[in-house]
Amino acid sequence: MSTASASSVLLPTYARAPIALERGEGAWAITADGTRYLDFGAGIAVNALGHAHPHLVEALTQQAQRIWHTSNLYTMPDGEKLARRLCEATFAERVFFTNSGAEANECAIKMARKYHAAKGHPERYRIVTFEGAFHGRTLATIAAGGQQKYIDGFGPKVDGFDQVPFDDEAALKAAIGPETAALMIEPIQGEGGLRSVPMRFLKRLRELCDEHGLMLIFDEIQTGVGRTGKFFAYEHYGVAPDIMSIAKGIGGGFPMGACLATEEAASGMTLGTHGTTFGGNPLAMAVGNAVLDVILAPGFLDHVQKTALRLRQSLAQLKDQHPQVIEEIRGEGLMLGLKLKTPNTDFVAQARAAGLLVVAAGDNVVRLLPPLIIGESEVAEGVARLDKAAGAVEAELARPAAE
Ligand SMILES: *Cc1c(COP(=O)(O)O)cnc(C)c1O
């Protein structure tokens, strides 16, 4: 154990790797002693444009010299602008800015409940979620996620969430009742292990919501802002939600999130019904606008799709080369996963030893979430380092047999 962790006064809720990243350049993150890591984690899908992107640095430093914070008591021109751009590029007509993903989901949950209450049905407050989901760490979002390990010990579970298996229409239909307000789902589960919702099931969710008058909530906190090769993952499915939470990539590393909705879905959120001190802060809005300048520029998402295809093809070869280690390649765009036969945490450590940062996920998956700006050479370098990591894992497997 490093002296840093032995003497740390931070809550020990994270098993932190013993490296400290001091600066970054594009897809590279660098420690104080100059060790360079190729960053295929991007701060868990946050640094969408890599580290120290000149356009983002410029936007943030310019704004830092003007004004940092005003509160939501005043008009926010950059917030108005960012909200309008998000609406123009999506299904949405209304936006509420937050500081994090969990807060965006809290807004989504409150909005879905309030929608029905404002229509005279306060009894419709329950939300159906799906096994393996992750929606954040607030009291309501751990209840929504339904993972016992995050719920245990924190008092009574927040009421109003019913969880059903991932792709089980009969169970879903049985869970929908007169108290149901909404269905809430990640189009591709991130923390849960890169599980994609089958296209027909997602379309079915939309139909069921329309039949029963339910809000359809997509949690695109991880899948959004270009990560899957489209601006939002729902575009792959030809199905739009009523409410959508976003965060992670939209700030490019600056903490921010948002809840997007149709005018109808947002109709209960009237004056005074919700609020935030920091959400929509001018620094965040400046960076969010700068992120969109890049992501929505003509050709950018085409580049992401091309890069993703190249990476995916290389990973398929890698799987063939390491059948003892890699079971399956999952995901979409630059949100890819290696489902492993060997422990994913060992693989993450071996990748780090080979100079590559990747992120573990549920279901024994290793997540590859490189910045969307990576090029051909970084794809090749990343795959070479994954090959090295898989080789090291195989050598470990071979050891007991040789003894
Ligand atoms: C990261 C994540 C969250 C939580 O976001 P925070 O910013 O950590 O609160 C919620 N949902 C999904 C799908 C996520 O990936």
Side-chain angles (χ1 to χ4, degrees):
M1 189 177 281
S2 73
T3 38
S5 60
S7 63
S8 178
V9 294
L10 296 173
L11 281 186
T13 53
Y14 281 98
R16 295 172 192 274
I19 60 167
L21 303 166
E22 188 192 56
R23 63 203 162 88
E25 299 161 1
W28 297 85
I30 304 150
T31 61
D33 71 5
T35 310
R36 292 171 68 84
Y37 291 93
L38 185 55
D39 187 1
F40 271 31
I44 320 188
V46 167
N47 306 307
L49 303 182
H51 299 283
H53 191 288
H55 187 60
L56 302 196
V57 172
E58 167 83 9
L60 183 60
T61 49
Q62 289 276 322
Q63 185 59 46
Q65 286 165 22
R66 281 188 218 115
I67 196 163
W68 288 23
H69 183 78
T70 64
S71 88
N72 285 305
L73 299 176
Y74 308 101
T75 304
M76 305 281 242
D78 285 350
E80 297 284 348
K81 179 179 167 189
L82 180 56
R84 201 159 291 284
R85 294 173 82 184
L86 287 169
C87 288
E88 277 165 10
T90 67
F91 74 96
E93 295 157 325
R94 294 289 181 268
V95 178
F96 184 88
F97 289 112
T98 67
N99 311 289
S100 68
E103 285 170 281
N105 278 337
E106 288 274 344
C107 181
I109 293 161
K110 287 177 73 176
M111 186 184 285
R113 290 178 171 187
K114 191 76 174 180
Y115 169 81
H116 293 288
K119 293 219 181 302
H121 290 285
E123 78 285 0
R124 297 186 73 170
Y125 70 97
R126 306 195 69 83
I127 297 180
V128 180
T129 66
F130 296 83
E131 271 174 16
F134 180 80
H135 296 302
R137 298 295 200 107
T138 61
L139 288 168
T141 55
I142 56 175
Q147 297 229 36
Q148 214 52 46
K149 64 179 175 184
Y150 298 150
I151 292 170
D152 279 346
F154 294 113
K157 186 178 143 193
V158 171
D159 183 32
F161 297 95
D162 300 304
Q163 195 157 70
V164 297
F166 185 68
D167 180 19
D168 183 339
E169 191 178 326
L172 172 59
K173 279 181 169 161
I176 296 173
E179 295 186 342
T180 307
L183 312 182
M184 181 170 180
I185 195 164
E186 301 152 85
I188 303 169
Q189 287 185 346
E191 308 299 310
L194 277 295
R195 292 201 297 166
S196 300
V197 179
M199 169 106 63
R200 88 188 132 65
F201 192 65
L202 215 61
K203 286 185 190 293
R204 198 63 197 116
L205 295 188
R206 179 70 270 175
E207 289 168 6
L208 286 169
C209 283
D210 294 343
E211 273 168 41
H212 296 270
L214 308 175
M215 296 282 101
L216 181 58
I217 305 172
F218 285 169
D219 177 343
E220 290 235 27
I221 289 165
Q222 196 158 148
T223 50
V225 197
R227 180 52 56 192
T228 69
K230 299 271 192 194
F231 189 35
F232 286 98
Y234 75 82
E235 297 167 41
H236 293 288
Y237 296 89
V239 166
D242 302 293
I243 303 173
M244 180 168 79
S245 49
I246 77 173
K248 296 204 163 98
I250 185 63
F254 196 93
M256 67 176 295
C259 178
L260 279 57
T262 63
E263 187 180 352
E264 171 71 3
S267 58
M269 302 301 277
T270 51
L271 182 65
T273 52
H274 195 44
T276 167
T277 296
F278 290 121
N281 165 292
L283 297 169
M285 297 300 97
V287 178
N289 274 304
V291 168
L292 290 198
D293 291 343
V294 178
I295 304 258
L296 295 179
F300 184 84
L301 291 173
D302 295 335
H303 162 81
V304 173
Q305 288 178 12
K306 279 198 196 102
T307 308
L309 191 63
R310 184 170 290 126
L311 177 56
R312 200 177 180 115
Q313 285 166 345
S314 304
L315 293 177
Q317 285 170 11
L318 194 72
K319 171 180 169 286
D320 291 343
Q321 284 155 11
H322 301 281
Q324 283 180 289
V325 180
I326 304 172
E327 182 177 320
E328 190 190 353
I329 312 296
R330 295 180 176 178
E332 190 71 54
L334 289 177
M335 183 175 174
L336 295 170
L338 309 176
K339 160 89 174 154
L340 298 189
K341 295 178 179 172
T342 57
N344 59 353
T345 47
D346 293 350
F347 191 100
V348 169
Q350 290 293 1
R352 195 168 59 244
L356 181 74
L357 303 180
V358 292
V359 185
D363 204 21
N364 203 35
V365 165
V366 169
R367 265 181 289 181
L368 311 178
L369 305 161
L372 308 181
I373 46 103
I374 56 165
E376 234 171 283
S377 64
E378 286 147 341
V379 167
E381 189 57 45
V383 172
R385 292 178 186 205
L386 286 169
D387 184 33
K388 209 168 157 191
V393 168
E394 278 160 0
E396 288 288 317
L397 286 178
R399 195 183 290 163
E403 271 167 9

